[in-house]
């Protein structure tokens, strides 16, 4: 090192006579002494015994360092040399006497030391916990410090990267020798860090002596260097006796800073939900240890520490990621568990499934949401997966086993909902048995929930056993227009509902039925396809949701004369509500007309606008005090009239509502359901009620009489419940006496039995 230092010094423009003058100058001589100390402090060297030649060499180096730092090296009159930095030259001058030289040299030494200090002085690790600046605490593994040897015969011609690797190798060999020989490194008492508070075990023996801390530091540096070599040096083999140790990090819980914050409740969560979610997500382990924590596995040293989060990870990446996840839990001002919500789509067809995929990609830009993968029926259907750059699966069970998913969107044909739900849950169970992180939390199932009530009851039973929440895709409930209409109709000023009139009229193109594609054959099959199951279920669901009343009886007549298929293409439905009101719904998908929800609201941009048809109403709600048109939201009433009736003028009121895509609002809601922040707007239990109404319509078309949906609910398990033991007040949705008299006791028993299928579903908005 001396040889290289002299060589570097010889490159400076410094005449011999001027160097002699610099040595004799008092300022340079004293400055040179401080330069020697600074040189040793920076390089980590220690002075034990120096020969005369070595002393002279380092004296010259010290003079050169100090004078260069002052910007006056190589100049007779104090002017800096060309190419030498001058940023500090204006702040220093050459001393003219001995006293000034001593004072000036001391100031230079202090400021030079401060220039190498990259932050405040080191404090004890037991001081108040502070949030480190970004880029400091979570640095890369390559940024970890290592201590180069004091004396290294450095080969010539090496690049900066090669020099760094050479120094690491030399340091690794030196540490390996010292650890094998149980030799501790000497620490200069003038530069060693302050000692932490003493920690004693139960026997009174000190656990954190200087020797113990030095040995831990050597071992930690030894392990870091080996991991660096394994990662960056091709073909490197670690020592035979080296065993990779788990990486650990301790994050102090800032109880003193936030005394009112319930850290234990937030970290552990109800029944350990948050703690389990952290471990499942990161694949590592997390513990809470410290004073007043009854953990039998913690050491005596940990028991004496303040309460902290102990993190163990297999790699540096996992440990740092784990710490970043844990830190928001320990800082009340940071949102909890700000992690991506991974959602998969099963059945990414050309209509609804594709729309869900595009919405998830759209949300991934602004929100913390990720489209994890797509599951299709055919392996050759790869266009959408390639476009969105996500994995493609053809088996839902294998998808759930391989991928860490928070939620799954099932947009496949209705008759496949039960099988796909079962496959997703079985795949999640296999993933859990394999010890892999990620637990399925919620399902978004397109309407109708199933093609029959028996399958729906089985689906809810499966999801309830697995603890998975079900949200059914009646997306119109999320519309702001629908929410405003519900607020008006259920208000006391609207009065008791007298009746409802709805219309669904449009023309489906021939390509929709696609007779040449066997995969779309279900759209023409009775009991699976048709406008009643696919389209009018939305209108009948809104009839329940907006009015807040249940449908007790339905009567329907249909026709299939337009296309001659098994399924209907036109029809009329009459319903009776639980309080005696009547409603009607006319539907057809075989006439060129714009009188449907999609055309009139303009929420779905798939449907082109119709000239002169802006906000033309397709629903009408008539009440005792006022009436409402939808989606225009025009309110008609005789407010202020002396006598209400046709002789008085009607008052029209129309609130303004901003229109937004209900599918987007539904997907946002589903993400919050996956995170446990909200309950489903349309739960599985509520969707079964709407399915029962639709199935009652289909049965009415077959038998030619009025059918009560409650009768179908009772048939799900007619022998399971004794009707005489039930009380009507226990029904999930309260009924008025008129409706109760219309329903048989057996029908009420069936409704109650279905209500007990799952506890994870929530009461309908009427009971809420």
């Amino acid at each position: 090192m001396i040889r290289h230092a002299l060589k570097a010094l010889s490159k400076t423009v410094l005449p011999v006579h001027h160097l002699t003058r610099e040595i004799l100058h008092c300022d340079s001589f004293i400055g040179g002494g401080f330069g020697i100390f600074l040189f040793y402090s920076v390089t980590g060297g220690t002075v034990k015994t120096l020969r005369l030649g070595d002393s002279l060499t380092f004296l010259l180096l010290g003079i050169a360092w100090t004078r260069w730092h002052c910007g006056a090296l190589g100049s007779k009159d104090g002017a800096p040399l060309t190419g030498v930095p001058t940023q500090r030259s204006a702040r220093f001058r050459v001393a003219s006497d001995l006293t000034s030289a001593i004072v000036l040299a001391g100031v230079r030494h202090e400021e030079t030391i401060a220039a190498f200090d990259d932050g405040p002085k080191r404090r004890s690790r037991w001081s108040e916990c502070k949030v480190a600046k970004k880029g400091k605490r979570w640095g890369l593994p390559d940024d970890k410090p290592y201590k180069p040897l004091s004396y290294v015969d450095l080969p010539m011609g090496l690049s900066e990267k090669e020099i760094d690797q050479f120094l690491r190798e030399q340091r690794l060999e030196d540490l390996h020798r010292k650890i094998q020989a149980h030799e501790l490194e000497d620490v200069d008492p003038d530069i060693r860090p302050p000692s932490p508070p003493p920690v004693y075990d139960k026997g009174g023996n000190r656990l954190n002596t200087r020797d113990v801390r030095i040995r831990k530091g050597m071992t930690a540096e030894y392990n870091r260097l080996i991991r660096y070599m394994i990662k960056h040096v091709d073909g490197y083999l670690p020592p035979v006796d080296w065993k990779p140790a788990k990486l650990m990090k301790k994050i102090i819980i800032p109880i003193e800073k936030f005394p009112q914050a319930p850290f234990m409740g937030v970290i552990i969560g109800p029944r350990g939900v948050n703690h389990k979610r952290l471990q499942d997500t990161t694949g590592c382990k997390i513990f809470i240890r410290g004073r007043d924590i009854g953990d039998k596995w913690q050491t005596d040293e940990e028991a004496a520490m303040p309460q902290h989060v102990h993190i163990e990870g297999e790699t540096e990446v996992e440990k740092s990621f784990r710490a970043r996840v844990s830190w928001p839990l320990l800082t009340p001002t940071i949102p909890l568990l700000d992690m991506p919500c991974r959602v998969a789509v099963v059945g990414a067809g050309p209509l609804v499934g594709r729309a869900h995929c595009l919405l998830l990609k759209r949300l991934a830009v602004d929100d913390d949401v990720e489209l994890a993968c797509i599951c299709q029926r055919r392996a050759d259907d790869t266009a959408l997966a390639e476009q969105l750059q996500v994995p493609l699966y053809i088996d839902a069970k294998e998808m759930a086993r391989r991928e860490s998913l928070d939620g799954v969107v099932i947009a496949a044909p209705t008759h496949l909902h039960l099988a796909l739900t079962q496959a997703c849950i079985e795949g999640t169970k296999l993933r859990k048995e394999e010890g892999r992180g990620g637990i399925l939390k919620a399902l978004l199932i397109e309407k109708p929930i199933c093609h029959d009530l028996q399958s729906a009851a089985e689906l809810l039973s499966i999801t309830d056993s697995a603890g998975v929440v079900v949200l059914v895709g009646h997306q119109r409930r999320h519309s702001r227009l629908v929410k405003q209409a519900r607020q008006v109709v259920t208000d006391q000023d609207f009065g008791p509902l007298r009746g409802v009139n709805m219309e669904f009229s449009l023309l489906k193109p021939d390509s929709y039925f696609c007779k040449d594609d066997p995969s779309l054959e279900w759209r023409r099959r009775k009991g699976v396809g048709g406008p009643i199951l696919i389209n009018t279920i939305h209108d009948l669901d809104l009839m329940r949701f907006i009015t807040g009343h249940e449908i007790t009886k339905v009567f329907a007549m249909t026709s299939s004369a337009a296309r001659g298929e098994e399924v209907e293409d036109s029809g009329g439905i009459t319903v009776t509500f639980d309080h005696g009101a009547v409603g009607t719904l006319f539907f057809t998908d075989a006439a060129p007309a714009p009188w449907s929800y999609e055309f009139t609201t303009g929420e779905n941009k798939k449907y082109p606008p119709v000239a002169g048809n802006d906000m033309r109403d397709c629903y009408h709600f008539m009440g005792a005090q006022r009436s409402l048109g939808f989606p225009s939201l025009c309110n008609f009433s005789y407010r202020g009239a002396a006598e209400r009736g046709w002789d008085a003028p009607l008052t029209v009121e129309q609130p303004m509502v901003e229109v937004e895509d209900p599918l987007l609002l539904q997907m946002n809601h589903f993400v919050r359901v996956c995170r446990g922040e909200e309950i489903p707007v349309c739960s599985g239990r509520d969707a079964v009620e709407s399915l029962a109404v639709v199935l009652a319509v289909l049965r009415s078309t077959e038998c030619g009489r009025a059918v009560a949906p409650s009768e179908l609910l009772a048939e799900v398990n007619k022998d399971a419940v004794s009707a005489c033991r039930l009380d009507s007040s226990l029904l999930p949705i309260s009924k008025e006496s008129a409706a109760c008299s219309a329903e048989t006791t057996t029908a009420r028993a069936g409704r109650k039995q279905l209500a007990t299928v799952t506890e994870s579903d929530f009461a309908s908005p009427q009971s809420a």
Side-chain angles (χ1 to χ4, degrees):
M1 185 173 71
I2 297 173
R3 174 165 53 85
H4 293 300
L6 289 174
K7 185 176 181 180
L9 183 63
S10 64
K11 295 181 180 179
T12 60
V13 184
L14 192 63
V16 176
H17 67 278
H18 184 66
L19 182 61
T20 306
R21 189 181 70 108
E22 289 290 341
I23 295 175
L24 297 177
H25 198 286
C26 184
D27 174 35
S28 299
F29 188 82
I30 297 177
F34 282 100
I36 293 176
F37 173 77
L38 177 62
F39 185 84
Y40 270 84
S41 300
V42 174
T43 59
T46 56
V47 181
K48 292 184 178 179
T49 303
L50 280 179
R51 297 187 299 274
L52 178 61
D54 296 334
S55 302
L56 179 60
T57 300
F58 284 106
L59 178 62
L60 295 177
L61 288 174
I63 294 173
W65 172 263
T66 307
R67 300 295 287 155
W68 168 80
H69 195 66
C70 298
L73 178 59
S75 175
K76 296 180 179 181
D77 54 356
L81 286 172
T82 304
V84 179
T86 61
Q87 66 271 20
R88 297 179 62 87
S89 58
R91 299 179 56 191
F92 292 92
R93 58 181 177 82
V94 179
S96 58
D97 59 317
L98 178 61
T99 305
S100 301
I102 295 176
V103 174
L104 183 60
V107 173
R108 289 173 183 171
H109 169 65
E110 294 295 338
E111 296 197 7
T112 304
I113 293 296
F116 281 88
D117 188 7
D118 59 352
K121 292 185 178 181
R122 177 168 177 168
R123 300 182 62 182
S124 172
R125 73 176 66 178
W126 317 117
S127 60
E128 181 182 0
C129 177
K130 294 185 178 180
V131 180
K133 294 182 179 179
K134 186 176 181 181
K136 295 290 186 181
R137 181 169 188 162
W138 315 116
L140 298 175
D142 299 352
D143 297 333
K144 295 292 184 180
Y146 71 97
K147 181 180 179 182
L149 298 180
S150 303
Y151 305 97
V152 177
D153 190 5
L154 192 66
M156 301 297 294
L158 297 181
S159 63
E160 183 178 352
K161 183 177 181 181
E162 291 172 341
I163 292 176
D164 179 75
Q165 181 175 330
F166 180 80
L167 294 177
R168 289 178 186 270
E169 292 175 355
Q170 296 295 317
R171 175 59 175 166
L172 181 59
E173 293 178 3
D174 180 65
L175 280 175
H176 182 73
R177 178 186 59 80
K178 291 180 179 179
I179 291 176
Q180 293 293 328
H182 302 284
E183 178 183 347
L184 297 180
E185 292 186 325
D186 294 331
V187 180
D188 192 337
D190 294 329
I191 62 174
R192 69 188 182 197
S195 299
V199 178
Y200 301 94
D201 60 9
K202 297 180 180 179
N205 302 314
R206 184 172 178 179
L207 301 174
N208 59 342
T209 60
R210 180 170 290 109
D211 291 349
V212 172
R213 288 185 280 112
I214 292 175
R215 187 176 292 108
K216 284 184 178 180
M218 293 172 60
T219 305
E221 185 181 355
Y222 178 69
N223 291 329
R224 285 200 305 269
L225 288 172
I226 291 180
R227 287 195 296 269
Y228 178 89
M229 294 298 179
I230 294 174
K231 182 178 179 181
H232 294 86
V233 180
D234 296 335
Y236 176 81
L237 295 177
V240 180
D241 57 346
W242 181 73
K243 295 182 180 180
K246 287 188 176 182
L247 301 176
M248 295 181 293
K249 181 183 285 290
K250 298 182 185 295
I251 303 178
I252 304 298
I253 301 177
I255 299 178
E256 296 181 357
K257 187 175 182 180
F258 304 101
Q260 303 297 328
F263 290 107
M264 294 304 168
V266 171
I267 299 174
I268 300 174
R271 300 184 180 180
V273 172
N274 292 353
H275 180 258
K276 185 177 181 181
R277 182 180 179 185
L278 279 174
Q279 297 198 134
D280 290 340
T281 303
T282 61
C284 300
K285 294 184 179 180
I286 181 170
F287 309 94
I288 300 178
R289 293 177 175 174
R291 290 191 292 267
D292 302 327
I293 300 296
D295 187 352
K296 63 179 181 180
W297 302 109
Q298 66 179 349
T299 63
D300 293 335
E301 182 178 359
E302 290 175 329
M305 290 175 57
Q307 293 183 4
H308 60 277
V309 179
H310 177 87
I311 302 169
E312 290 184 2
E314 297 292 341
T315 64
E316 187 77 20
V317 176
E318 288 181 347
K319 186 184 72 171
S320 297
F321 173 70
R322 184 107 193 222
R324 286 195 297 270
V325 172
S326 303
W327 185 251
L329 293 173
L330 304 179
T331 309
T333 58
I334 300 178
L336 300 180
L337 296 176
D338 190 11
M339 301 163 57
C341 181
R342 291 172 52 83
V343 180
V345 177
V346 178
L351 294 179
V352 180
R354 179 183 178 86
H356 285 311
C357 294
L358 297 178
L359 284 175
L360 287 170
K361 274 295 184 181
R362 176 180 171 185
L363 291 176
V365 177
D366 301 325
D367 300 332
D368 206 1
V369 183
E370 178 183 355
L371 175 60
C373 57
I374 295 175
C375 183
Q376 292 280 54
R377 180 184 302 180
R378 301 190 307 273
D380 57 345
D381 192 2
T382 62
L384 184 60
E386 293 175 353
Q387 175 187 348
L388 301 178
Q389 298 180 351
V390 295
L392 175 65
Y393 293 89
I394 59 174
D395 187 349
K397 182 177 179 180
E398 186 67 13
M399 175 198 71
R401 186 183 73 83
R402 291 188 178 184
E403 298 285 344
S404 175
L405 301 174
D406 295 298
V408 174
V409 179
I410 298 179
T414 305
H415 60 282
L416 299 177
H417 287 180
L418 175 59
L420 291 174
T421 299
Q422 194 167 5
C424 291
I425 291 179
E426 288 178 357
T428 303
K429 290 181 179 178
L430 291 177
R431 182 179 179 85
K432 186 176 181 181
E433 291 173 359
E434 295 172 358
R436 305 170 69 183
I439 297 178
L440 183 62
K441 303 173 182 64
L443 293 174
L444 171 55
I445 303 177
E446 269 300 320
K447 56 75 200 168
I449 184 172
C450 282
H451 63 286
D452 60 57
L453 292 176
Q454 186 65 41
S455 300
E458 187 176 352
L459 186 149
L460 294 180
S461 178
I462 293 172
T463 55
D464 176 57
S465 300
V468 177
V469 180
V470 174
L471 170 67
V472 181
H474 286 285
Q475 79 275 3
R476 294 183 186 177
R477 291 193 178 196
H478 301 269
S479 169
R480 294 178 178 174
L481 294 171
V482 170
K483 291 181 178 179
Q484 180 66 28
R486 173 180 166 83
Q487 181 178 350
V488 173
V489 174
T490 57
D491 190 81
Q492 293 182 352
D493 294 339
F494 191 82
L497 182 69
R498 300 302 191 205
V500 179
N501 180 30
M502 291 185 171
E503 184 176 0
F504 172 80
S505 300
L506 48 71
L507 178 63
K508 293 180 180 177
D510 294 337
S511 59
Y512 173 84
F513 299 96
C514 200
K515 297 183 179 181
D516 297 333
D517 189 353
S519 64
L520 299 179
E521 186 269 339
W522 62 274
R523 292 178 176 176
R524 308 186 304 272
R525 199 168 65 212
K526 193 172 184 179
V528 180
I532 292 180
L533 276 174
I534 298 177
N535 303 112
T536 62
I537 186 172
H538 280 300
D539 302 294
L540 293 172
D541 179 73
L542 287 187
M543 196 179 287
R544 296 179 51 242
F545 182 73
I546 293 178
T547 63
H549 292 285
E550 286 299 315
I551 297 174
T552 57
K553 281 189 178 182
V554 300
F555 178 79
M557 296 186 67
T558 61
S559 171
S560 58
R563 298 189 181 93
E565 300 288 351
E566 291 183 19
V567 297
E568 69 285 344
D569 51 56
S570 304
I573 303 171
T574 302
V575 304
T576 303
F577 291 98
D578 52 11
H579 68 297
V582 178
T584 61
L585 169 61
F586 173 79
F587 67 90
T588 180
D589 63 358
W595 304 310
S596 64
Y597 180 95
E598 287 81 7
F599 273 110
T600 56
T601 60
E603 294 173 335
N604 192 341
K605 302 306 178 183
K606 174 183 180 297
Y607 297 89
V610 180
N613 193 59
D614 295 342
M615 304 302 284
R616 196 269 187 191
D617 294 333
C618 62
Y619 298 165
H620 299 91
F621 300 90
M622 283 68 71
Q625 306 297 325
R626 63 175 65 189
S627 297
L628 174 70
F630 181 90
S632 67
L633 299 179
C634 289
N635 290 270
F636 301 90
S637 65
Y638 287 109
R639 177 176 297 181
E643 181 183 7
R644 298 188 307 136
W646 59 33
D647 294 328
L650 281 168
T651 301
V652 182
E653 300 175 2
Q654 185 179 17
M656 299 301 295
V657 178
E658 183 179 357
V659 177
E660 192 170 354
D661 185 6
L663 278 176
L664 177 61
L665 297 175
Q666 176 184 253
M667 188 58 69
N668 276 316
H669 171 65
F670 178 61
V671 171
R672 292 190 291 271
V673 170
C674 292
R675 291 173 174 165
E677 300 173 357
E678 294 181 4
I679 64 174
V681 170
C682 183
S683 66
R685 169 67 181 86
D686 202 4
V688 168
E689 294 280 359
S690 295
L691 176 61
V693 174
V694 173
L695 295 179
V697 170
L698 292 175
R699 178 170 294 189
S700 177
T701 62
E702 295 175 355
C703 65
R705 64 173 180 85
V707 178
S710 56
E711 295 179 9
L712 303 183
L713 295 172
E715 292 176 3
V716 175
N717 197 350
K718 62 176 66 176
D719 299 328
V721 180
S722 176
C724 60
R725 298 177 183 176
L726 288 178
D727 183 5
S728 61
S729 62
L730 298 177
L731 295 176
I733 302 174
S734 60
K735 309 291 182 183
E736 296 190 13
S737 58
C740 292
S741 62
E743 295 187 75
T744 63
T745 310
T746 306
R748 294 198 301 270
R751 189 183 298 273
K752 177 60 180 176
Q753 173 64 14
L754 188 62
T756 60
V757 168
T758 174
E759 296 178 359
S760 63
D761 295 319
F762 304 93
S764 64
Q766 290 81 1
S767 60

